[in-house]
Amino acid sequence: MRSPILAAAFILLAACAPPGQSNQSGAGATGPIKIANVNAQSGQLSSLGQWEHKGVKLAVDEANKAGGVNGRQIQLDLFDSQGDPTVGTNLARKIAGEGYVAMLGTAESAVTLAMAPILKDAKIPNITSGQSPKLAELKSPFLFLNAPTSVTFDETLAKYLVDEKGHKKIALISNNGAYGSGEHDAFLAALKTRNLTPPADEVVTPDQKDFNANLAKIREKDPEVLFIGAEEVQSGLIAKQARELGLKAVFAGGAPMGTDVYATTAGLKNAEGSIVSSPYLSNDASEAIKAFAAKYKAAYNEEARMHVAKAYDGASILIEALKQTNGEGGQKLADAIRGVKRAGLLGDYDYDANGVGIHTTKIGLVKDGKVVPEAAS
Amino acid sequence: MQVFLQTLIGGVTFGAVYALVAMGFSIVYRTMGLVNFAHGSVVMIGAYAASTFYLASKLPFAVAIVVAIAVTGLIGLVIERFLRPLENKDFTLMLIGTIGFGAVLEAGAVLVWGATGHAVPSPVATEPIDLAGVRIPTYNVLVIAVAAAATGLLALFLQRTKRGAAMQAVAMDHQAATAVGIHVGRSNAMAFAIGAGLAALAGSLVGPMLYVNPTMGGTLGIKGFAAAMLGGFGSMPGAIVGGLAFGLLDSFAAGNFQEYSELVTFLVFAAVVMIRPTGIFGEATVNRA
């Protein structure tokens, strides 16, 4: 009677242990290393999720072809978060219970924020593409950002707009989603440190489609610059409706405004001259980026972009860390990730105590629907 | 004043689209007593079909819309054919069936067009009309005019044609209509096809104003449904008034309540429906089950 109980207790304890401590994924294991890739594959933000997955898959396929992690193959499993935090939390529990050593994704801050506590408890390192300052504020030792937070994006932007170009009348329009509110707060703080108050500060909802009322109020203030804090599609719709209303202000914002989704939604003419703060401006920025873009084009027959590069960097860092831990997860893997210093596609990775890997962005301008570095424009 | 008028323009344009979606909901409801929960997804399929024929097949935008209406009309007929065996038997299953069709259409769109969606350039290249500082995009004028024309045509069909009269008769009393020789199944099929055609028209028109993607039907469907409720479910004038009212409410709430706009919109909606549960043009509800 006693031994079945002991056996059951042992199985239960093994199931509850962090993945890094389990026999299957530990240093002595020989099977494939299970990595979860969570991203929106359906829903409004699926374009980001699909780019992210392709970037991750490219890095993992390369690593597997080159012999995997010290001889062990990486098993990459894709989960659809639908861009929904509730779906995300369910997936986090699933990942925690099924022996995954790490998670890559998601592209959405709101989903990452919802998943982070569960992954922290399970000691599963997560390298995310979210950039909300709230992610860094969590100070989770298991959460890593593969791009700067909005604070860096917007400080660079404010420095360029105010300190270099001398703009004083900068209006804001942002949404109150996790990304948009992060952008709003970070840019407003950057303006405040320069003693500037925006003449208009309009907040919209992430699902809003008609911005006539908000933009008409902004137009009355005749700003020189309109800061847009929203995702790709909504930024494009705002830019399009703003120009239709006759707003002459220059558009400025973060990485979403450097995408073709923004440019085509706004219309190339309307997007022309938009100012973008981003760590990844173009596929021609360096020899390493050119080689990466060519590799991506050969694999997927489409142009590489920031979200692809971001995910590729994150996956490459994880693979490097896994090689150091010999496939082991848990605290050991988190420490190894923190120790990785990598000259990535988005910049030089050097994780700080808050899990932020990159600390600078560059300024680019939209020309014919593509971003060019500001200096080259 | 300029802000007020500009807000009005945006509200009326989106209101016209909501009205088309609401009319699609209403025509099926008044004929069959059924809320077609697949309607939002049909709007999305209409947007995809029109934009694909316009962009990939290079058809003129107006022709692309007509083709999209034909495609979704066919989808409407298929949905009705699948639901027909349940007519007068299991109302709940019919409702679930429409929800299922909505999910199938969304998944189908991902399979055919991919999950990422695409932007549709405006088919009208002219500059916005400037009326003393109030800017009216020419495409918005086109949207309002087409929606008004479609509404007029639908009213003529329902009031002046034999088939339209037959549909009205089925809506009033389907047993009596059957007794006088009206084919109820055919009438229902026509209601579904017209409803789907209206959805396609709404989707086609809104495509160049938004970004066409598999989930766009969600927001438009909910707002169109709310517009139909606000106007009085099943009432065609109600759908028009409800659509415009909802568009304006949405637009003015966005300007005045910022991030709380959606909350305010639906609070006002809830208050109106509580005071007048049958909506502004409240008619006796239809229930076949």
Side-chain angles (χ1 to χ4, degrees):
Chain A
M1 190 68 194
R2 186 179 275 181
S3 57
I5 294 171
L6 276 174
F10 179 76
I11 290 165
L12 198 68
L13 277 172
C16 293
Q21 291 167 18
S22 80
N23 220 17
Q24 189 57 35
S25 54
T30 51
I33 299 167
K34 287 172 76 178
I35 295 177
N37 179 210
V38 181
N39 263 307
Q41 299 298 298
S42 57
Q44 198 173 330
L45 298 163
S46 58
S47 50
L48 299 184
Q50 298 211 342
W51 294 329
E52 291 263 336
H53 174 60
K54 286 174 187 167
V56 164
K57 196 168 178 309
L58 189 64
V60 169
D61 286 348
E62 273 177 12
N64 279 339
K65 246 185 219 166
V69 173
N70 306 342
R72 287 172 69 189
Q73 290 286 292
I74 298 168
Q75 180 188 323
L76 183 72
D77 293 333
L78 174 65
F79 298 95
D80 181 8
S81 70
Q82 299 168 29
D84 182 337
T86 312
V87 176
T89 50
N90 288 335
L91 288 176
R93 285 189 197 97
K94 188 178 167 66
I95 289 164
E98 292 185 3
Y100 287 91
V101 292
M103 178 187 136
L104 293 165
T106 71
E108 295 90 40
S109 300
V111 181
T112 302
L113 277 167
M115 296 178 80
I118 301 166
L119 295 174
K120 184 184 167 190
D121 288 347
K123 295 192 188 304
I124 297 176
N126 172 203
I127 304 188
T128 175
S129 285
Q131 65 177 61
S132 168
K134 285 180 184 155
L135 293 170
E137 285 163 18
L138 286 179
K139 295 186 189 296
S140 164
F142 292 91
L143 183 61
F144 301 90
L145 279 69
N146 56 28
T149 65
S150 294
V151 173
T152 307
F153 278 85
D154 295 332
E155 176 56 32
T156 308
L157 195 58
K159 194 174 165 193
Y160 174 76
L161 294 170
V162 182
D163 304 347
E164 287 182 34
K165 294 289 169 187
H167 292 298
K168 301 278 181 224
K169 282 177 82 177
I170 305 173
L172 272 67
I173 182 164
S174 50
N175 74 38
N176 63 338
Y179 172 75
S181 58
E183 284 288 296
H184 171 269
D185 296 349
F187 190 69
L188 195 63
L191 288 185
K192 278 197 175 145
T193 57
R194 290 166 174 82
N195 295 320
L196 287 182
T197 307
D201 181 3
E202 293 289 307
V203 180
V204 300
T205 65
D207 277 337
Q208 199 169 315
K209 313 280 186 234
D210 169 23
F211 308 98
N212 271 272
N214 310 92
L215 292 168
K217 281 160 79 179
I218 291 171
R219 188 181 59 178
E220 279 199 327
K221 308 288 179 189
D222 192 24
E224 299 161 18
V225 178
L226 176 63
F227 171 83
I228 306 175
E231 291 81 357
E232 288 78 0
V233 172
Q234 197 171 46
S235 293
L237 292 177
I238 290 170
K240 181 177 171 178
Q241 291 182 26
R243 286 288 179 260
E244 283 172 351
L245 255 65
L247 200 79
K248 291 187 176 61
V250 175
F251 302 132
M257 289 170 67
T259 61
D260 54 346
V261 173
Y262 163 75
T264 53
T265 308
L268 296 190
K269 204 176 133 199
N270 297 329
E272 189 72 7
S274 297
I275 299 164
V276 181
S277 170
S278 172
Y280 187 92
L281 292 178
S282 86
N283 289 337
D284 304 319
S286 71
E287 288 307 316
I289 291 174
K290 268 186 202 170
F292 163 75
K295 207 161 52 181
Y296 183 76
K297 176 100 179 169
Y300 295 105
N301 196 27
E302 64 180 38
E303 296 298 322
R305 57 195 87 218
M306 189 189 79
H307 281 282
V308 174
K310 218 177 183 185
Y312 181 87
D313 273 349
S316 303
I317 289 168
L318 176 64
I319 293 163
E320 212 173 310
L322 279 169
K323 282 179 182 165
Q324 288 173 26
T325 65
N326 207 17
E328 201 175 328
Q331 185 67 54
K332 207 170 168 186
L333 181 59
D335 292 341
I337 292 170
R338 194 166 291 103
V340 171
K341 305 278 181 283
R342 181 186 168 85
L345 300 164
L346 266 69
D348 294 329
Y349 284 86
D350 182 8
Y351 286 105
D352 63 16
N354 300 335
V356 181
I358 291 184
H359 310 277
T360 56
T361 64
K362 307 170 195 86
I363 295 292
L365 301 180
V366 178
K367 295 265 176 201
D368 295 325
K370 291 197 185 291
V371 181
V372 293
E374 195 275 340
S377 61
Chain B
M1 192 60 186
Q2 269 193 3
V3 173
F4 175 81
L5 291 172
Q6 203 65 63
T7 309
L8 199 69
I9 305 288
V12 170
T13 311
F14 278 90
V17 175
Y18 297 153
L20 286 176
V21 180
M23 282 197 291
F25 270 116
S26 282
I27 198 158
V28 171
Y29 182 77
R30 64 182 286 122
T31 316
M32 295 176 73
L34 175 75
V35 179
N36 175 18
F37 284 110
H39 196 58
S41 301
V42 182
V43 173
M44 173 270 295
I45 294 286
Y48 259 121
S51 57
T52 304
F53 286 115
Y54 172 52
L55 295 174
S57 309
K58 307 278 176 211
L59 285 179
F61 191 59
V63 179
I65 291 180
V66 174
V67 178
I69 291 172
V71 168
T72 58
L74 206 64
I75 291 172
L77 291 176
V78 170
I79 298 176
E80 192 279 330
R81 202 71 194 87
F82 269 91
L83 297 179
R84 196 178 286 185
L86 298 169
E87 171 83 354
N88 295 324
K89 283 181 194 152
D90 197 325
F91 187 70
T92 314
L93 263 184
M94 283 177 86
L95 274 182
I96 293 168
T98 64
I99 294 169
F101 264 106
V104 168
L105 289 175
E106 205 173 303
V110 174
L111 277 177
V112 176
W113 290 288
T116 48
H118 57 238
V120 185
S122 173
V124 184
T126 48
E127 280 290 299
I129 302 158
D130 198 324
L131 291 175
V134 178
R135 307 256 299 184
I136 311 166
T138 36
Y139 185 71
N140 289 29
V141 179
L142 180 87
V143 169
I144 295 164
V146 172
T151 308
L153 280 174
L154 185 65
L156 278 176
F157 169 77
L158 289 174
Q159 284 162 16
R160 301 285 166 86
T161 67
K162 232 176 169 181
R163 284 196 184 280
M167 278 176 69
Q168 303 269 56
V170 172
M172 283 175 204
D173 188 337
H174 79 287
Q175 278 172 337
T178 310
V180 295
I182 295 170
H183 194 299
V184 173
R186 210 171 290 154
S187 177
N188 290 346
M190 196 176 290
F192 252 99
I194 293 172
L198 286 167
L201 185 60
S204 311
L205 289 173
V206 91
M209 291 158 68
L210 304 178
Y211 183 82
V212 177
N213 69 88
T215 55
M216 68 182 288
T219 321
L220 291 168
I222 287 171
K223 294 202 168 165
F225 181 66
M229 296 274 289
L230 195 66
F233 222 102
S235 155
M236 300 315 277
I240 300 159
V241 172
L244 289 174
F246 207 85
L248 289 169
L249 182 60
D250 219 13
S251 199
F252 280 98
N256 294 302
F257 299 99
Q258 305 270 306
E259 67 261 51
Y260 304 109
S261 61
E262 230 154 89
L263 174 72
V264 172
T265 302
F266 280 98
L267 275 178
V268 172
F269 165 77
V272 173
V273 174
M274 275 167 77
I275 294 163
R276 203 174 159 80
T278 53
I280 301 166
F281 284 76
E283 288 185 358
T285 52
V286 186
N287 193 348
R288 290 281 187 80

